[in-house]
Amino acid sequence: MIDDHDRLLVRARELASNYLAGLSSRRVAAPLEVGALREALGGALPEHGVDPVQVVDDLARAAEPALVASAGPRYFGFVTGGALPAALGADWLTAAWDQNGALNVMSPAASVIEEIAADWLVELFGLPPRTSVGFTTGATMANFTALAAARHAVLADAGWDVEAQGLFGAPPIHVVVGAEAHTSLFAALALLGLGRERVTVVPADDQGRMRADALGETLTGARTPTIVCAQAGNVNTGAFDPLEAITRTARAQSAWVHVDGAFGLWAAASPALRPNAHGIERADSWATDGHKWLNVPYDSGMVFVAHPQAHRAAMSASAAYLVAASRGERDGMDWVPEASRRARGFAVYAALRSLGRTGVADLVERCCRLARRMAGRLSAEPGIQILNDVVLNQALVRCHTGGERAGPQAADALTRAVIARVQRDGTCWLGGTRWHDMAAMRISISNWRTTEDDIDRAAEAILRCVASAREELR
Ligand SMILES: *Cc1c(COP(=O)(O)O)cnc(C)c1O
């Protein structure tokens, strides 16, 4: 068995190394026949077991053509990052160690690493010192957890125990969101019984920022329990809600302020970019991702709550066999919805330690610089328009046709045709979006590997696709 382990890990290492070695040169995503993929990976459930090395070999051979090089330097989709070497190494060990992150008694190492990573993150983001932290699968569950803490706190203030009684007969909660809130926030509201549609939507400005004056009007005179959901980093524009004004207005009404900072929170770790997030430390809870800008492998999210009691009350479970940690040690399950789970703190710790405070700031600032470079390259070409202020790592790009067919519909069609061509071409990958009722390409620079050369190569490929799409649609 030991020999088997060795053979297997050596082979897995070879396969992984080969993959990583080709990451920068392979097509980011290749067109693929899904039927063939199913056939290569599938077949009937085997009656008898297969040699583990064979299993891993076959898996890699069949899966690789259908992998997307989202860990590579020219993947600009969905604001996701790759995997820093230290984080990848720690993640491999996490799998080999197979620790359960639920209880201190199950893995003192996992528990203490989470504690340390939590302290580092709170310091890095400049959050209040007693802020509690949970390690989740991603920002969706981080939003969920934070809003559960919010629900607990605002109803406890109204004399209601929501964990015991649920929402049946509870005082209604006034939930306020910006017009540009991320879709995952609505998923969290739905799961918490707060409803996707019974929210008050505050209008946004031209960059997608919640309008603080409109929030003021919404909250005036409100005496009901209130939760305000703000955003640091709009998925289209990268813009930040005006957090200083929002927290001031909300505080005056005793409302809880939650900030969805899935990628944007990382800007708070950069002295140069922190002004975007001015006032962020005055919120009550925050959500972010490790698998986006910190470049930790999936899955990795974190939730922060300035009121540890509310956080814990919303998440705690107890049973006779669940021996709580003594002397204030950390039980990971007190801060997230799950009990048993992957010891996610190791990879986060490794990423933070390998970068250091200045490394995190450099990573974030470099991506923003590269986003500006990309926007500059593209907009130098006639008929290409950057729709947003490139304040962070996001650029929204729209292509216009020349000549008599020019107009919004032609621009929509051309922009969509360019996106399809870029995706087929494989030099880089970017997705599409609609922004203010216009089709746009969405370019997000979030990867630690991306260089100026990658930006230039990608910009050339995009411009090539613009030229050929214009030709075709002429
Ligand atoms: C990506 C993202 C989310 C969801 O994060 P997951 O990690 O996919 O769960 C939530 N909010 C914003 C602003 C995001 O960019």
Side-chain angles (χ1 to χ4, degrees):
M1 274 319 277
I2 302 224
D3 281 356
D4 251 16
H5 257 139
D6 248 7
R7 271 198 314 135
L8 189 82
L9 291 179
V10 166
R11 187 65 189 131
R13 195 205 74 114
E14 272 169 15
L15 291 164
S17 295
N18 289 344
Y19 177 73
L20 291 177
L23 196 56
S24 297
S25 48
R26 65 176 277 158
R27 289 175 83 170
V28 179
L32 185 98
E33 224 274 275
V34 178
L37 175 64
R38 284 208 189 90
E39 204 155 298
L41 285 166
L45 171 68
E47 191 59 33
H48 302 289
V50 176
D51 170 56
V53 175
Q54 184 76 46
V55 170
V56 166
D57 255 347
D58 290 349
L59 173 64
R61 187 170 333 102
E64 275 193 15
L67 296 177
V68 176
S70 48
R74 291 186 307 283
Y75 185 81
F76 306 132
F78 304 103
V79 213
T80 62
L84 286 162
L88 177 59
D91 201 57
W92 280 12
L93 287 174
T94 304
W97 290 337
D98 193 22
Q99 301 290 283
N100 191 327
L103 294 173
N104 180 285
V105 72
M106 290 168 152
S107 178
S111 158
V112 170
I113 279 287
E114 279 194 2
E115 219 172 78
I116 294 168
D119 286 349
W120 287 356
L121 289 163
V122 166
E123 187 188 327
L124 194 65
F125 294 140
L127 302 181
R130 284 186 62 254
T131 295
S132 51
V133 183
F135 291 83
T136 63
T137 47
T140 302
M141 287 316 285
N143 279 332
F144 171 85
T145 305
L147 291 172
R151 187 182 69 162
H152 170 90
V154 299
L155 287 179
D157 280 352
W160 188 266
D161 181 348
V162 69
E163 284 74 32
Q165 303 301 326
L167 290 170
F168 305 98
I173 302 176
H174 187 201
V175 179
V176 181
V177 304
E180 284 280 329
H182 193 267
T183 168
S184 67
L185 196 89
F186 295 97
L189 291 173
L191 287 168
L192 287 163
L194 298 175
R196 293 172 194 272
E197 292 181 10
R198 63 173 289 293
V199 296
T200 302
V201 179
V202 177
D205 68 10
D206 65 333
Q207 297 297 312
R209 294 174 290 227
M210 182 194 287
R211 277 181 34 209
D213 58 328
L215 174 68
E217 285 161 29
T218 301
L219 294 186
T220 303
R223 291 265 60 97
T224 46
T226 302
I227 301 170
V228 176
C229 305
Q231 187 166 255
N234 177 294
V235 280
N236 285 310
T237 63
F240 284 64
D241 287 352
L243 297 172
E244 212 279 325
I246 289 171
T247 50
R248 191 159 19 85
T249 306
R251 186 66 53 88
Q253 303 292 334
S254 306
W256 179 291
V257 178
H258 170 64
V259 178
D260 177 0
F263 59 99
L265 193 55
W266 296 96
S270 146
L273 293 161
R274 182 147 183 117
N276 286 307
H278 183 54
I280 198 166
E281 68 284 351
R282 297 172 54 171
D284 298 285
S285 59
W286 305 263
T288 197
D289 267 319
H291 55 229
K292 285 181 177 167
W293 228 345
L294 184 60
N295 282 260
V296 168
Y298 298 101
D299 43 22
S300 178
M302 302 123 202
V303 56
F304 303 86
V305 181
H307 315 282
Q309 273 165 324
H311 187 175
R312 189 175 189 150
M315 292 295 127
S316 284
S318 63
Y321 56 84
L322 291 176
V323 188
S326 53
R327 300 183 308 277
E329 282 150 13
R330 178 187 173 89
D331 285 332
M333 67 178 279
D334 286 343
W335 313 104
V336 293
E338 299 92 356
S340 295
R341 87 188 140 80
R342 184 174 182 78
R344 292 194 191 93
F346 291 121
V348 173
Y349 165 90
L352 291 172
R353 184 142 189 252
S354 78
L355 291 171
R357 188 195 304 274
T358 54
V360 174
D362 286 348
L363 168 61
V364 170
E365 289 163 19
R366 182 169 68 247
C367 289
C368 296
R369 213 163 43 239
L370 292 172
R372 288 195 298 274
R373 185 183 182 93
M374 176 69 96
R377 287 284 147 129
L378 296 179
S379 61
E381 187 73 13
I384 297 191
Q385 181 190 10
I386 308 298
L387 297 178
N388 65 318
D389 298 340
V390 184
V391 292
L392 208 67
N393 60 336
Q394 305 287 110
L396 286 179
V397 185
R398 181 163 166 86
C399 308
H400 296 276
T401 57
E404 53 220 50
R405 283 191 61 244
Q409 264 122 36
D412 279 357
L414 176 62
T415 302
R416 281 195 292 264
V418 171
I419 293 167
R421 274 168 188 270
V422 170
Q423 291 179 355
R424 269 199 312 274
D425 168 81
T427 307
C428 68
W429 199 96
L430 46 79
T433 188
R434 276 197 88 72
W435 176 249
H436 292 175
D437 215 25
M438 293 178 284
M441 324 185 215
R442 188 163 76 108
I443 302 180
S444 310
I445 318 286
S446 322
N447 195 298
W448 69 280
R449 289 173 178 269
T450 309
T451 62
E452 292 188 349
D453 181 56
D454 287 309
I455 296 299
D456 296 347
R457 278 179 62 189
E460 269 168 40
I462 295 168
L463 292 175
R464 226 173 28 240
C465 293
V466 173
S468 60
R470 275 193 180 132
E471 197 61 37
E472 184 191 80
L473 294 179
R474 188 185 300 272

